[in-house]
Amino acid sequence: MKRFWGACAILALLTGATIWQGHYIAGYLEHMAQSLDQAQALVEKDEDWDQARRLSEDVFSMWETHKFHLHATMNHQDTDQVLFSIQSVRQYLQLEELDQYVAANAQLAAQLRLLVELEQPTLENIL
């Protein structure tokens, strides 16, 4: 009987850690997507490229800070695709190409939100 309760305790611990990790990742990925949305709004309304660059660079640096954790816990294809999108957004910010920047930035924000969705403990993600 002790083994059963020990196994239950380990299962509960692992389940709790998995749920916490999902919420932790979801929190900062959603924050990153919101910051990208703010940067895009600044460019579309006021053409404030400097502030948009600062917000975007904050997002890129946050990605770099968490890159090891994301690569260790998520699908590498998904995280690599985000890296490619970050490079595109950087280029369009540098060139100040509004149309391409808006499209690339929206795609990057959508990819980040998709990663959040993939971390949710739903039946679809479990199966």
Side-chain angles (χ1 to χ4, degrees):
M1 195 63 160
K2 287 181 183 180
R3 287 184 185 185
F4 173 75
W5 289 115
C8 287
I10 291 171
L11 180 61
L13 179 68
L14 290 174
T15 301
T18 301
I19 291 171
W20 176 83
Q21 190 264 151
H23 285 294
Y24 175 70
I25 287 177
Y28 66 77
L29 288 178
E30 185 57 38
H31 173 72
M32 291 168 66
Q34 289 173 353
S35 293
L36 289 171
D37 291 341
Q38 289 175 343
Q40 184 173 328
L42 285 169
V43 169
E44 288 178 323
K45 291 180 183 171
D46 305 328
E47 292 201 21
D48 189 353
W49 289 97
D50 292 331
Q51 183 63 20
R53 241 182 245 105
R54 278 190 287 280
L55 278 171
S56 298
E57 285 301 325
D58 288 346
V59 168
F60 304 154
S61 114
M62 185 182 282
W63 178 267
E64 284 297 316
T65 301
H66 296 286
K67 185 169 64 172
F68 177 78
H69 181 235
L70 292 166
H71 274 281
T73 59
M74 298 185 131
N75 184 334
H76 288 277
Q77 287 179 326
D78 296 334
T79 55
D80 289 345
Q81 191 60 41
V82 169
L83 285 172
F84 292 134
S85 294
I86 285 173
Q87 292 306 317
S88 295
V89 171
R90 268 195 174 127
Q91 288 294 321
Y92 293 131
L93 272 169
Q94 189 175 33
L95 297 172
E96 296 186 5
E97 286 286 335
L98 181 63
D99 293 338
Q100 281 104 349
Y101 164 72
V102 168
N105 194 65
Q107 179 181 5
L108 177 56
Q111 286 173 332
L112 293 172
R113 288 189 173 103
L114 179 62
L115 290 178
V116 169
E117 203 174 290
L118 291 173
E119 284 302 300
Q120 300 302 313
T122 62
L123 188 59
E124 180 181 344
N125 289 338
I126 294 170
L127 299 178

